[in-house]
Amino acid sequence: MNIGILGSGKGSNLQAIIDAVSSGRLPVKISLVISDVENAFILERARKGGIRAEYINPGRFKTRLDPEAERKYIDALQRAGVELVVLAGFMRIIKDDFLRAFPNRIMNIHPSLLPVFRGLEAWRQALEYGVRFTGCTVHFLDTGTDTGPIIMQAVVPVREDDTPETLHQRIQVEEHRLYPEAVGLFTAGKLEIRGRRVLIKS
Ligand code: GRF
């Protein structure tokens, strides 16, 4: 299966997926990586891994793609034959037309145990709230922000001496384990969405 990855930042989750593919654990082809940030490290990682990587200008808005840009993103992914879109730190909201182009075929990873601490810097929100446990969630995308059906979650204990940085680092260790696994379940046809629930078939 061909997958496409979208990201705005350092791309450590892309790297985890690349590593899973190269070690043979994840039988997919990463056909295209797109970023809305021209000098994002995720593009460099992709190119180093021999993967086609493109910057596509997101347009005039800060938190979403403008309609013309959205068209370009969808076209590029469709032309590359992408069947699953994997969001890996993509910092823009994906709107209806995009979702309709890839129905139940867009995944995201979020650094908290959803549905708590949606939105930005979820690890900081967890620390400030004082929870003992947080973690990460892989979910399908729907029209809300971090609200789609949950595929997998991993728990990370919060330490009393944690800073936002140390907590985020430990959450990322779990992300790098979880995301390739979730992508693998999808591409093996093992995920079935039933309403809000995602069933994992054996
Ligand atoms: C991750 O923490 C992920 O949960 C969030 O954005 C961050 C991306 O990190 N959606 P990276 O660019 O994959 O290192």
Side-chain angles (χ1 to χ4, degrees), residues 9-14 88-89 108-111 123 168 172 175-176:
K10 65 184 193 302
S12 67
N13 280 285
L14 166 72
N108 183 41
I109 189 154
H110 182 77
W123 59 88
H168 189 208
Q172 287 226 286
E175 291 184 352
H176 301 157

Side-chain angles (χ1 to χ4, degrees), residues 7-15 42 45 87-91 108-112 123 135-137 146 168 171-172 175-176 179:
S8 312
K10 65 184 193 302
S12 67
N13 280 285
L14 166 72
Q15 191 63 55
I42 192 168
R45 283 196 206 256
L87 303 181
F90 189 63
M91 299 306 286
N108 183 41
I109 189 154
H110 182 77
S112 79
W123 59 88
C136 54
T137 303
D146 304 322
H168 189 208
I171 293 172
Q172 287 226 286
E175 291 184 352
H176 301 157
Y179 218 1

Side-chain angles (χ1 to χ4, degrees), residues 8-199:
S8 312
K10 65 184 193 302
S12 67
N13 280 285
L14 166 72
Q15 191 63 55
I17 293 171
I18 293 177
D19 294 346
V21 173
S22 0
S23 72
R25 276 178 292 137
L26 181 61
V28 302
K29 178 169 191 267
I30 308 170
S31 309
L32 180 61
V33 171
I34 309 178
S35 183
D36 58 328
V37 177
E38 199 161 11
N39 58 357
F41 192 55
I42 192 168
L43 292 174
E44 206 174 313
R45 283 196 206 256
R47 290 180 189 127
K48 266 193 197 134
I51 298 160
R52 213 175 99 214
E54 279 179 29
Y55 158 70
I56 302 182
N57 190 324
R60 65 210 134 115
F61 301 115
K62 270 217 157 92
T63 57
R64 61 187 170 99
L65 299 169
D66 81 16
E68 200 184 317
E70 185 181 61
R71 195 63 257 159
K72 288 185 187 159
Y73 275 70
I74 296 170
D75 283 350
L77 291 163
Q78 287 176 339
R79 272 201 310 272
V82 165
E83 292 156 277
L84 172 70
V85 179
V86 175
L87 303 181
F90 189 63
M91 299 306 286
R92 284 168 197 271
I93 298 161
I94 300 284
K95 297 290 208 186
D96 298 2
D97 283 351
F98 210 135
L99 284 162
R100 269 194 293 272
F102 296 95
N104 291 335
R105 285 176 172 270
I106 308 180
M107 265 186 200
N108 183 41
I109 189 154
H110 182 77
S112 79
L113 292 174
L114 289 173
V116 287
F117 309 136
R118 297 189 288 125
L120 295 176
E121 299 201 327
W123 59 88
R124 192 184 297 276
Q125 296 184 49
L127 206 58
E128 283 169 5
Y129 195 91
V131 290
R132 297 280 181 193
F133 295 93
T134 183
C136 54
T137 303
V138 179
H139 64 94
F140 284 112
L141 221 68
D142 68 3
T143 49
T145 305
D146 304 322
T147 54
I150 290 172
I151 302 167
M152 295 181 95
Q153 295 188 298
V155 176
V156 174
V158 179
R159 291 187 191 149
E160 294 195 346
D161 60 353
D162 261 330
T163 62
E165 293 71 32
T166 59
L167 182 56
H168 189 208
Q169 264 167 28
R170 288 206 318 291
I171 293 172
Q172 287 226 286
V173 171
E174 290 303 309
E175 291 184 352
H176 301 157
R177 187 180 61 76
L178 212 61
Y179 218 1
E181 202 180 325
V183 170
L185 288 171
F186 180 88
T187 56
K190 290 191 171 164
L191 299 181
E192 185 187 322
I193 304 180
R194 285 235 194 116
R196 282 222 42 95
R197 301 184 70 194
V198 177
L199 308 185

